[in-house]
Amino acid sequence: MGRLRLQSSINAIEEEPEECEATSSNKSALGCMINSEIGAVLAVMRRNVRWGGRYVSGDDQLEHTLIQSLKTLRRQIFSWQHEWQSVNPSLYLQPFLDVIRSDETGAPITGVALSSIYKILTLDVLDVNTVNVDDAMHLVVDAVTCCRFEVTDPASEEVVLTKILQVLLACMKSKASVMLSNQHVCTIVNTCFRVVHQAGSKGELLQRIARHTMHELVRCIFLHLPDVDNTEQSLVKGGSSVKNENAGLDTDYNFSGKSENGSGASEFDGQLSSGVYNSASSGLIGGMMDESIPRNDNGKDAVPYDLHLMTEPYGVPCMVEIFHFLCSLLNVVEHSGMGLRANSLTFDEDVPLFALGLINSAIELGGPAIRHHPRLLSLIQDELFRNLMQFGLSMSPLILSMVCSIVLNLYQHLRTELKLQLEAFFSCVILRLSQSRFGASYQQQEVAMEALVDFCRQKTFMVEMYANLDCDITCGNVFEELANLLSKSAFPVNCPLSSMHILALDGLIAVIQGMAERIGNGSLGSELTPVNLQEYTPFWMVKCENYGDPEHWVPFVRRRKYIKRRLMIGADHFNRDPKKGLEFLQGTYLLPEKLDPQSVACFFRYTAGLDKNLVGDFLGNHDEFCVQVLNEFAGTFDFQDMNLDTALRLFLETFRLPGESQKIQRVLEAFSGRYYEQSPLILANRDAALLLSYSLIMLNTDQHNVQVKKKMTEEDFIRNNRHINGGNDLPRDFLSELYYSICKNEIRTTPEQGAGFAEMTPSRWIDLMHKSRKTSPYIVSDSRAYLDHDMFAIMSGPTIAAISVVFDHAEYEDVYQTCIDGFLAVAKISACHHLEDVLDDLVVSLCKFTTLLNPSSVEEPVLAFGDDAKARMATVTVFTIANRYGDFIRTGWRNILDCILRLHKLGLLPARVASDAADDSEMSSDPGSHGKPLTNSLSSAHMQSIGTPRRSSGLMGRFSQLLSLDTEEPRSQPTEQQLAAHQRTLQTIQKCHIDSIFTESKFLHADSLLQLARALIWAAGRPQKGSTSPEDEDTAVFCLELLIAITLNNRDRIGLLWQGVYEHIANIVQSTVVACALVEKAVFGLLRICQRLLPYKENLADELLRSLQLVLKLDARVADQYCEQITQEVSRLVKANATHIRSPMGWRTIASLLSITARHPDASESGFEALTFIMADGAHLSPSNFVLCADAARQFAESRVGQTDRSIQSVDLMAGSVSCLVRWAQDAREGTAEAEAAKLCQDIGEMWLRLVQGLRKVCLDQREEVRNHALLSLQMCLTGVDEIHLPLGLWPQCFEMVIFTMLDDLAEIAQGNPQTQKEYRNIEGTLVLALKLLTKVFLHLLNELSQLSSFCKLWRNVIGRMEKYMKLKVKRGEKLLELIPELLKNTLLVMKTKGVLVPTSTLGGDNVWEQTWLHVNKIFPSLQSEVFPNHDSEPLHSNPVLGESASDQTE
């Protein structure tokens, strides 16, 4: 019931009985101690003449009662047999207390008696179990607070006062202090304060002790607040309404003191009386406050505590009294205005500082328990905070600092009860003082900024400001303002960096790091869906179901913030065109489709930034809708228990009162109607309210318009308002109060535009207290990142700019490190909340500080970099961000690459940056590859540039350059400083892990990877035809290396990169006309990509292989230079990936590349090797590549580059490929349907025809061995294909296109000029083979051919060719002339045997018999009789075989 709960430890004495001896010795010890104190007091008394003799009273001589009582106690003390706890303490305290109370004793005696009491209190003799302890404690307090003594000298007086303080503090610290009543505690504090007050005119030591004691007392008392029961029943009659309570105290219970030093005596009277200690010497102003500020919410004193409660054991009532007293100590300044300059150092800052220190102690110890006690809470919410707002604008940095400390403590413990008060403090104090434009001194700015930074270090402060204030349409954007303030304050504008800039930076980084720390705790903003309003709901009615559950309040505050932003945009539109502004809000569902008065009124009431002139014009309009809006607008105000002038001030602050009288009339009618509804106590009716309001407006104009010379007096004002209250007069006091209020404080009918940071006027404070009852509950945030995405989006830009500027201006490494921490925190937040633009901005900003992008003006950029700590730290940070958060970098890659290229130019990159990226993964065996993985074919051995040699790169290369002494120019030995700088540079680059960006690119998000590739292409620049500078080419080569590296590292995402990579390489290839490192890198990089990716990306195989056609587009000179290496790479490609190349298009590219090499002296060997790999034993031949490979083999056969053996091997490859056709034909017949088999056979026939056509061409080769071998191979291909079952119609075609054409061509060569004959040696041998081939093939196929309708024509052609060859005139042609009759004869015999050549009666061109002899007889007339000796006889039974006889003859 508002009192202290007894602590269990107090019973310890009872619970632990001691042994008898110990108890008796303890008793004796206490008895001796008290005895010695009696002796001490008596000894001092005896030194005084007054007490040394005897007093005579009548006839008897008696001792003085004070001495008598002490002696009596001395006699009794050793006779008490009981425990000390069972002895009434009054028995042994009373004699000492009598001495203290006596006004006859001098200061020394009183001092000794006080010391005795102090000693007894500190020995823990008294505790809650002691008999009558409550009476004893009350006696002590009463006696000490009413202590009287004669003052003999100032020093002794100070001693006594010090001891009084000692005893009072000991009372409060004693275990028995819980038995003190509320009134006694108040008396103790009152007495102590009077000593503090008196000490002002005494010595410094007493002052210090008195203040310290006061602090200790307050701490002792409020330390127990958490242990106090709930206070509900400690109020009068059970305290029915907590809301209306306040700190106002009944006049019977207030602190006071009176000093009577004139008679040379000090007297402390323990009464409680009204007000602050009234003494001229105190410098304090009597009274609570100026009349202009009501003492509490409702203008009346709150219900006082009753007398009975004040005599109960102490608890909340005395704490309320004391706290109220401490607050009243602050009411020492006129509250005529709370402006910045109104409160200067003209009054002593000592008292407010003292009071604020005590209040701070009370709040520190009371802490969260205060919220359970409505009266204490109410004091803090209203009176204390109002004073803090005032003292916050003090010119004294000490006071401001203490105010800020108190507000920080209040934030920690009671922020849920102080939402609007905190907003007001930040808006009207911190934001005003922190900026010089409001006239604050540098010290004020610094203290305010320090306080703000302290708040920022509270992890949830900014989140709660944002959730509670920025996302509330009725509050200001405090988070946004504070974040902007910190950003701006960190900017050094035209001045060097100061401590203030660093302080602001600390605050900014504290906020950012708080966000970064919350990232791992879940609920990231990226999961939050964007807010969208789909239908109209009254925005001022939006409520949250549960303010304690993030599931509910997070979407709620985000929705409210969205509405607030839209309202601000609507306000902007409204200020330009009211009609369009309202239409915009209807379009965004913030106003209903059909406007209603309430919604428009609430828009005017709750939207910041509206043009108050336009609002005033709208509200004053005579249009019916506008009048309805005006009445609804007035209805949004709460004028409950407000003075009329205060209500009018608040009403007219929200818009500009129109100038026309009719409009003023309408506005005041609406106001007075609302005011009368809510405050009908004094005014009789609405008319009275209206007339008085008009009168106040006129008085205001009269008093504050400079053009009015004769001002209205109080009497004039009262006279003007006679009989307006329903025919009666209003109370004179009431009117006087209104008159003076208007005179002192003008009602501004032209309120300032815009949000700004308004001053906290009394009327605004009253309004704030009204609003605080209705405002939504305070949202407490935990350590999860609910709103960080939205908050960071607001502050990221200014934050990056501010940190960058400080970093730029800073000169010390600790500041650098602070900035770097900030940059890394920004990067972390940007990445985790997917704010790619922010991260790009950060990267751009940081890259500037690396100095790597600056045009190099220094002689030794490497050493300059080594000496520049800022540049090195920035460089490490850039690459740390690139490695950690690369997934979310987009355009920033360009800047990062610029830095990398600069390091490359300086030779500072590790040599492995580009190579490792690809080589590491290449060496790892892949489960998809067969056998051992291929070693890197494009290692440095193959990649030695044929163009310009590259200068030494890599760290060691750069280092060796620095140290080299044997260069052309003699260089001096580097100094130690240079070596150290160089060493620092190398260490920095190692810390950057630049190579990881590329080796780990396979883990980058797709968007980021694509941007990185584009940045590389962009950094390489477009290749130009003609000469480029070696430096540009070096850059382009390096970029290409990196591009190829990331392409190889991302084989699973090659589709994403391929288009850009291919186009870049194509540009290089097509624009290069001379061999150089760039085109070399492009061509071999392309081959390498194909080599590596073909096994994994079958769906891209065609595209990859098609890209190799770029090689065919190389300028002839360039191609010639690289042909051998290209062929080696193609050969490797084929060997590794033959099974993965399936499409004709892919093979066409490969075949084209191989064919080109046939005539290149260096490359042909590798090309032939690759072709052999494909064709030998038909290992990798397929229908898709058969014709292409045959054609390539033909080109190798015809090539004169290699040895004749290679041509013969090529012919063998061609001939050997027939076995594949046979195999495919068999497979087709066995495994496929009839229709498909027929189609496949047709395709095989066409392939075979192309093959034999190719062999036919080789048969014309100038080299005898080659053409003869080709003829025999052709013969084999023509006669060894029975199993293919070629279509019958193919043979006439074959004879025509292959055999006859070949014979004709050979004949033509044989008949040629001497030069030709010289080139074709031994042509006659070839002619013999050719004729044999003709007859062999013809006879081999005779059965099939004879069934053809065109057989006769074919046969005529055979005879015709023999006839032609008979007529040939060649050297050594005898053999030919001998062979032809024999071949013809054998042919005829076989035809006769097979029944093809038989006499028939048919006439015409198709008669074989007739046509045969018609032609044969022209050459060999005798043959007919040889073949048919007897035309009429039976056919011969002998069956000679032409092949054997012919071959025998040949042999």
Side-chain angles (χ1 to χ4, degrees), residues 1437-1451:
H1437 291 289
S1438 62
N1439 194 5
V1441 180
L1442 173 68
E1444 288 174 6
S1445 63
S1447 59
D1448 292 344
Q1449 286 175 26
T1450 336
E1451 286 164 9

Short mmCIF file of all heavy atoms in Angstrom, two decimals, residues 1437-1451:
data_model
loop_
_atom_site.label_atom_id
_atom_site.label_comp_id
_atom_site.label_asym_id
_atom_site.label_seq_id
_atom_site.Cartn_x
_atom_site.Cartn_y
_atom_site.Cartn_z
N HIS A 1437 31.31 -73.02 -123.60
CA HIS A 1437 31.06 -73.44 -122.21
C HIS A 1437 32.16 -72.98 -121.27
O HIS A 1437 32.02 -73.02 -120.08
CB HIS A 1437 30.94 -74.99 -122.15
CG HIS A 1437 29.67 -75.44 -122.84
ND1 HIS A 1437 28.42 -75.23 -122.32
CD2 HIS A 1437 29.49 -76.08 -124.04
CE1 HIS A 1437 27.50 -75.73 -123.15
NE2 HIS A 1437 28.14 -76.25 -124.23
N SER A 1438 33.29 -72.64 -121.90
CA SER A 1438 34.36 -72.15 -121.01
C SER A 1438 33.94 -70.83 -120.37
O SER A 1438 33.22 -70.06 -120.98
CB SER A 1438 35.66 -71.97 -121.81
OG SER A 1438 35.43 -70.98 -122.81
N ASN A 1439 34.42 -70.57 -119.18
CA ASN A 1439 33.98 -69.36 -118.43
C ASN A 1439 35.19 -68.62 -117.91
O ASN A 1439 35.50 -68.65 -116.72
CB ASN A 1439 33.08 -69.81 -117.27
CG ASN A 1439 32.33 -68.61 -116.68
OD1 ASN A 1439 32.42 -67.52 -117.21
ND2 ASN A 1439 31.62 -68.86 -115.59
N PRO A 1440 35.92 -68.01 -118.84
CA PRO A 1440 37.13 -67.35 -118.39
C PRO A 1440 36.80 -66.16 -117.48
O PRO A 1440 35.79 -65.51 -117.67
CB PRO A 1440 37.77 -66.87 -119.68
CG PRO A 1440 36.64 -66.67 -120.62
CD PRO A 1440 35.59 -67.67 -120.26
N VAL A 1441 37.68 -65.94 -116.52
CA VAL A 1441 37.45 -64.81 -115.60
C VAL A 1441 38.34 -63.65 -116.04
O VAL A 1441 39.56 -63.80 -116.10
CB VAL A 1441 37.79 -65.20 -114.15
CG1 VAL A 1441 37.55 -64.03 -113.23
CG2 VAL A 1441 36.92 -66.39 -113.75
N LEU A 1442 37.65 -62.60 -116.35
CA LEU A 1442 38.38 -61.46 -116.90
C LEU A 1442 39.41 -60.94 -115.92
O LEU A 1442 40.55 -60.68 -116.28
CB LEU A 1442 37.39 -60.34 -117.24
CG LEU A 1442 38.02 -59.01 -117.67
CD1 LEU A 1442 38.71 -59.19 -119.00
CD2 LEU A 1442 37.00 -57.90 -117.74
N GLY A 1443 39.03 -60.87 -114.71
CA GLY A 1443 39.93 -60.27 -113.71
C GLY A 1443 41.24 -60.99 -113.66
O GLY A 1443 42.30 -60.40 -113.64
N GLU A 1444 41.19 -62.33 -113.67
CA GLU A 1444 42.43 -63.09 -113.54
C GLU A 1444 43.31 -62.89 -114.75
O GLU A 1444 44.48 -62.61 -114.63
CB GLU A 1444 42.10 -64.57 -113.37
CG GLU A 1444 41.52 -64.87 -112.00
CD GLU A 1444 41.07 -66.33 -111.90
OE1 GLU A 1444 41.31 -67.08 -112.84
OE2 GLU A 1444 40.47 -66.67 -110.86
N SER A 1445 42.68 -63.09 -115.96
CA SER A 1445 43.51 -63.01 -117.17
C SER A 1445 44.13 -61.63 -117.29
O SER A 1445 45.29 -61.49 -117.63
CB SER A 1445 42.68 -63.34 -118.41
OG SER A 1445 41.65 -62.37 -118.55
N ALA A 1446 43.32 -60.66 -116.98
CA ALA A 1446 43.83 -59.30 -117.12
C ALA A 1446 44.97 -59.05 -116.15
O ALA A 1446 46.02 -58.53 -116.51
CB ALA A 1446 42.72 -58.29 -116.87
N SER A 1447 44.73 -59.52 -114.99
CA SER A 1447 45.78 -59.25 -114.01
C SER A 1447 47.01 -60.05 -114.32
O SER A 1447 48.13 -59.59 -114.12
CB SER A 1447 45.27 -59.56 -112.59
OG SER A 1447 44.88 -60.91 -112.52
N ASP A 1448 46.81 -61.28 -114.82
CA ASP A 1448 47.98 -62.07 -115.17
C ASP A 1448 48.78 -61.36 -116.25
O ASP A 1448 50.00 -61.30 -116.19
CB ASP A 1448 47.56 -63.45 -115.69
CG ASP A 1448 46.94 -64.28 -114.56
OD1 ASP A 1448 47.15 -63.88 -113.38
OD2 ASP A 1448 46.24 -65.25 -114.84
N GLN A 1449 48.03 -60.87 -117.23
CA GLN A 1449 48.74 -60.20 -118.32
C GLN A 1449 49.52 -58.99 -117.78
O GLN A 1449 50.65 -58.75 -118.18
CB GLN A 1449 47.73 -59.70 -119.37
CG GLN A 1449 47.17 -60.87 -120.22
CD GLN A 1449 46.08 -60.38 -121.17
OE1 GLN A 1449 46.08 -59.23 -121.54
NE2 GLN A 1449 45.21 -61.29 -121.59
N THR A 1450 48.85 -58.32 -116.90
CA THR A 1450 49.54 -57.13 -116.39
C THR A 1450 50.80 -57.51 -115.67
O THR A 1450 51.84 -56.88 -115.80
CB THR A 1450 48.64 -56.36 -115.39
OG1 THR A 1450 47.28 -56.66 -115.65
CG2 THR A 1450 48.85 -54.89 -115.51
N GLU A 1451 50.62 -58.52 -114.85
CA GLU A 1451 51.82 -58.91 -114.12
C GLU A 1451 52.90 -59.39 -115.04
O GLU A 1451 54.07 -59.15 -114.83
CB GLU A 1451 51.45 -60.02 -113.13
CG GLU A 1451 50.67 -59.44 -111.92
CD GLU A 1451 49.98 -60.56 -111.15
OE1 GLU A 1451 50.24 -61.73 -111.43
OE2 GLU A 1451 49.16 -60.25 -110.28
#
